[in-house]
Amino acid sequence: MAGRENAGRVAVRCLIGVVGIAASLAFVWICKRLVDIATGNIDADLRVNIGLMVAIMLVQLSNNILASYYEGLILVRIENNLRGRLFQHVMRSRWNGRDALHSGDTVNRLETDIYTITELIATRLPDIIITLGQLVCASVFLFMMKPGLLWVLLAIMVVAVVSSRLCFFRIRKLSAEIRAKDAQVQSFMQENLLHRVLALTLIGVDRVTGRMDQLQGELYDVNVKRLNFNSVARVFMSLGFAAGYLSAFLWGVLGIRSGAVTFGMMTAFLQLVGQVQGPISQIARYIPSVIHSLASVDRLSELEDLETEPTEGNVLLQGLPGIQVDNVTFGYEKDKPVIENFSCTFQPGSMTAVMGPTGAGKSTLIRLILGLMTPEKGSIRIYDENMTVDAGPSARCNFMYVPQGNSMMSGSIRDNFLLANPEATESDMTDALRHACAQFVLELPDGLDTVCSELGAGLSEGQAQRIAIARALLHKGQILILDESTSALDSTTEDHILSDIRQNLQGKRTIIFITHRKTVADVADAVVDFGDRSQKRKNTHEESV
Ligand code: ADP
């Protein structure tokens, strides 16, 4: 998951760590040397060696500062890099009428799990590598001085690590449970904040906060369970640590009494014990957090495993396009087709009303035309006089789509327009507002710069729908799809928009209305009726499909 770029950053961090190891071993060596000079075991210049000690300390100090600065830097870089890549992957993932995960869960993975993994890559992994290096070097140093002491220390630490490992499998399982519960809490909060009015009116705040308390209580319980297992694992490690230090200390004391150990060697022993045991206990301490991170690796792998849409580039038809739906069968579940052997044609420049009762499959047809989903059988093609392209991601740029309900993004109205067409000029925007009967925007104190918050809060639904129509009209495609887009408007405004669209766009754009209102069907020149699965063209002929 790290990628080559991230691997390079980790390598640099390890390199800084190697300098740190060398400096800390040099420090042990100079301490031993100074004590031996002071006690007369070595004959050398004390001032030169003190100078050497100060120099080593300065190297250690600057290396530590550099290490933590670089670590902070790669933490942000790796986090941004991973989150950007995964966000793009999720955005490009196939959509089958509903998302595989709750949006709150996805955000939780993109935030918390990415942070956990970033910490693993930027901090834990280099630390483990550096610590292992430190362990090997300190062990070699100690082996050269007193091999027996090294074996005793290693044996004690191995027993301690193996004992504490018994808890690790359980810790991993609990970590996965915690991550899932945490995501549940986030999804719950996000959903209730999004539907706060529903929470205030229909559900009741007490019930919402009660459920929140319950979820947090469950999260607390699993956390406590994991904490208990972590503590047991830590007790084994601490016992091993204490036993190792005691052995080295007694070894040194007995050695001094028998004259086999100098004071300098004793100083080196005690420092090396720390440098052998410290890394082992540090690695053992890292193991639970690496295990916690593995739960995050699994959760992010689930995001990575989402199948993505092909990215073949946009195919924008130059002529006025039509749509040919040929013998299409599609169902959200196996063997339960919503649309079966369905055919119809949306002629270039035509204005078609797709009608029928709720649940008949109107939106499903539009999703198929937009290439958001793929038919099980049959084909959907977008064509002009020169070329034909299959419905799918690359044909999507041909559509000006107005989704159902309030689809405003937070930001100003101008920001929303620029999303549809980054090159739209002031006069393009004014024209679009006029065609969508949304001139009221220009009369607002801030006009196009009026800021609407999330989901267009601050605007009535009818106003938001009209702005959404204007936004779609700014897009470069030539097929305008309005999905129940005039449903929140009063009949006068609806009539205005329809007659404006008819007057300005008929014959210049291919227009599809999804509607259950007869008024909309009246202005159209063709009707696809999902009630009896027929397509009727006014003034021309009538055909059954
Ligand atoms: P309409 O737009 O005509 O109201 P839809 O196309 O939304 O109808 O739905 C057609 C049928 O497909 C309905 O029975 C609906 O329950 C079902 N359906 C719609 N979306 C999904 C989905 N994401 N998963 C499963 N079934 C769905």
Side-chain angles (χ1 to χ4, degrees):
M1 198 170 283
R4 191 173 286 181
E5 210 180 317
N6 292 340
R9 289 173 185 145
V10 172
V12 174
R13 171 71 189 87
C14 291
L15 208 67
I16 298 173
V18 169
V19 176
I21 297 171
S24 67
L25 288 178
F27 188 74
V28 174
W29 170 78
I30 195 71
C31 284
K32 172 183 177 297
R33 192 171 163 79
L34 277 172
V35 174
D36 281 341
I37 293 170
T39 52
N41 281 315
I42 296 178
D43 183 20
D45 187 340
L46 192 62
R47 270 183 299 179
V48 171
N49 282 280
I50 289 175
L52 206 55
M53 185 181 203
V54 172
I56 292 171
M57 284 174 86
L58 285 176
V59 170
Q60 274 186 310
L61 195 90
S62 42
N63 192 66
N64 283 347
I65 293 170
L66 181 67
S68 68
Y69 179 81
Y70 191 72
E71 189 178 294
L73 203 66
I74 61 172
L75 210 67
V76 185
R77 284 241 174 100
I78 295 178
E79 190 179 11
N80 279 356
N81 183 311
L82 279 179
R83 192 167 32 218
R85 215 159 51 78
L86 272 174
F87 177 69
Q88 191 184 53
H89 187 82
V90 173
M91 287 302 284
R92 286 193 191 284
S93 66
R94 275 194 185 282
W95 183 80
N96 294 317
R98 74 180 83 161
D99 285 310
L101 297 168
H102 190 288
S103 59
D105 190 2
T106 307
V107 170
N108 186 275
R109 290 173 196 231
L110 290 175
E111 274 297 322
T112 318
D113 290 307
I114 293 261
Y115 184 75
T116 312
I117 296 299
T118 306
E119 249 202 335
L120 176 73
I121 298 171
T123 312
R124 296 278 173 267
L125 210 64
D127 269 357
I128 289 175
I129 297 171
I130 294 165
T131 313
L132 278 173
Q134 193 176 2
L135 175 65
V136 171
C137 295
S139 301
V140 170
F141 202 154
L142 188 59
F143 183 79
M144 285 174 359
M145 287 176 65
K146 237 350 167 218
L149 180 55
L150 174 69
W151 299 134
V152 169
L153 284 183
L154 288 181
I156 291 173
M157 290 314 279
V158 166
V159 172
V161 170
V162 170
S163 319
S164 62
R165 254 201 79 92
L166 300 174
C167 308
F168 291 161
F169 298 105
R170 187 85 178 107
I171 293 173
R172 176 172 185 172
K173 203 165 155 270
L174 287 167
S175 296
E177 264 178 58
I178 289 172
R179 297 298 316 117
K181 278 263 171 284
D182 199 34
Q184 216 180 335
V185 170
Q186 174 148 7
S187 303
F188 183 79
M189 286 193 298
Q190 187 165 322
E191 192 152 278
N192 280 284
L193 287 171
L194 196 64
H195 300 291
R196 210 158 70 84
V197 174
L198 196 73
L200 288 172
T201 52
L202 188 73
I203 310 172
V205 174
D206 288 345
R207 258 172 72 203
V208 171
T209 50
R211 174 78 184 126
M212 179 73 182
D213 288 347
Q214 188 193 343
L215 284 175
Q216 296 228 84
E218 289 168 10
L219 181 61
Y220 174 83
D221 289 345
V222 206
N223 262 305
V224 169
K225 249 192 219 168
R226 186 176 71 177
L227 210 58
N228 293 342
F229 277 97
N230 272 339
S231 305
V232 174
R234 214 158 277 168
V235 164
F236 285 122
M237 286 310 302
S238 306
L239 281 175
F241 204 83
Y245 191 84
L246 192 66
S247 316
F249 193 79
L250 291 179
W251 199 301
V253 167
L254 294 176
I256 288 176
R257 197 170 66 172
S258 67
V261 170
T262 65
F263 285 111
M265 279 169 83
M266 172 79 172
T267 315
F269 272 176
L270 294 182
Q271 286 187 5
L272 284 174
V273 169
Q275 291 201 17
V276 170
Q277 285 198 315
I280 296 177
S281 86
Q282 194 140 330
I283 288 171
R285 215 166 333 123
Y286 284 158
I287 290 174
S289 79
V290 170
I291 293 170
H292 302 171
S293 312
L294 292 181
S296 293
V297 171
D298 291 345
R299 282 166 56 79
L300 292 182
S301 299
E302 276 176 30
L303 290 188
E304 274 214 319
D305 289 344
L306 292 175
E307 196 193 340
T308 49
E309 292 186 327
T311 44
E312 285 150 8
N314 295 339
V315 181
L316 185 67
L317 300 182
Q318 297 307 313
L320 197 53
I323 305 165
Q324 180 69 51
V325 178
D326 225 352
N327 224 12
V328 163
T329 298
F330 175 85
Y332 293 96
E333 287 158 47
K334 218 174 163 8
D335 300 327
K336 283 194 191 158
V338 172
I339 295 177
E340 203 166 9
N341 299 325
F342 181 78
S343 302
C344 68
T345 308
F346 299 90
Q347 299 286 354
S350 65
M351 195 163 172
T352 309
V354 178
M355 301 200 62
T358 306
K362 303 183 293 296
S363 298
T364 304
L365 176 66
I366 295 305
R367 290 168 184 170
L368 290 165
I369 289 176
L370 286 169
L372 295 167
M373 309 182 302
T374 317
E376 282 157 35
K377 277 201 290 178
S379 66
I380 301 178
R381 296 201 173 89
I382 327 293
Y383 63 91
D384 67 2
E385 64 276 10
N386 296 318
M387 65 186 297
T388 300
V389 54
D390 282 329
S394 38
R396 222 172 272 154
C397 57
N398 291 287
F399 295 97
M400 311 150 93
Y401 177 53
V402 188
Q404 264 181 40
N406 192 335
S407 61
M408 297 295 290
M409 306 279 257
S410 49
S412 67
I413 295 172
R414 189 191 301 279
D415 293 336
N416 269 273
F417 284 175
L418 292 175
L419 286 177
N421 182 359
E423 288 147 23
T425 62
E426 197 82 13
S427 85
D428 294 336
M429 295 185 195
T430 318
D431 283 351
L433 286 171
R434 188 163 47 78
H435 292 322
C437 283
Q439 293 97 324
F440 71 89
V441 168
L442 302 172
E443 283 148 29
L444 296 172
D446 291 325
L448 281 165
D449 295 311
T450 305
V451 174
C452 21
S453 42
E454 216 178 359
L455 285 174
L459 297 167
S460 78
E461 197 160 327
Q463 287 176 325
Q465 274 191 344
R466 280 180 280 168
I467 297 173
I469 294 174
R471 182 178 59 187
L473 290 174
L474 284 166
H475 193 255
K476 284 207 172 106
Q478 299 203 70
I479 305 171
L480 175 64
I481 299 184
L482 296 117
D483 191 350
E484 302 274 9
S485 310
T486 50
S487 60
L489 304 177
D490 59 85
S491 55
T492 322
T493 314
E494 184 181 36
D495 286 349
H496 264 127
I497 294 185
L498 292 177
S499 65
D500 223 47
I501 286 178
R502 193 179 170 85
Q503 200 181 331
N504 292 301
L505 299 178
Q506 202 180 18
K508 295 185 194 146
R509 297 280 187 275
T510 305
I511 303 166
I512 303 173
F513 291 107
I514 305 170
T515 184
H516 54 268
R517 287 207 195 167
K518 191 150 172 343
T519 41
V520 182
D522 286 344
V523 294
D525 45 35
V527 174
V528 171
D529 192 341
F530 261 80
D532 59 4
R533 295 284 198 265
S534 69
Q535 180 171 19
K536 301 178 183 81
R537 262 183 227 128
K538 296 177 187 168
N539 314 324
T540 47
H541 59 278
E542 187 164 304
E543 56 185 287
S544 259
V545 282

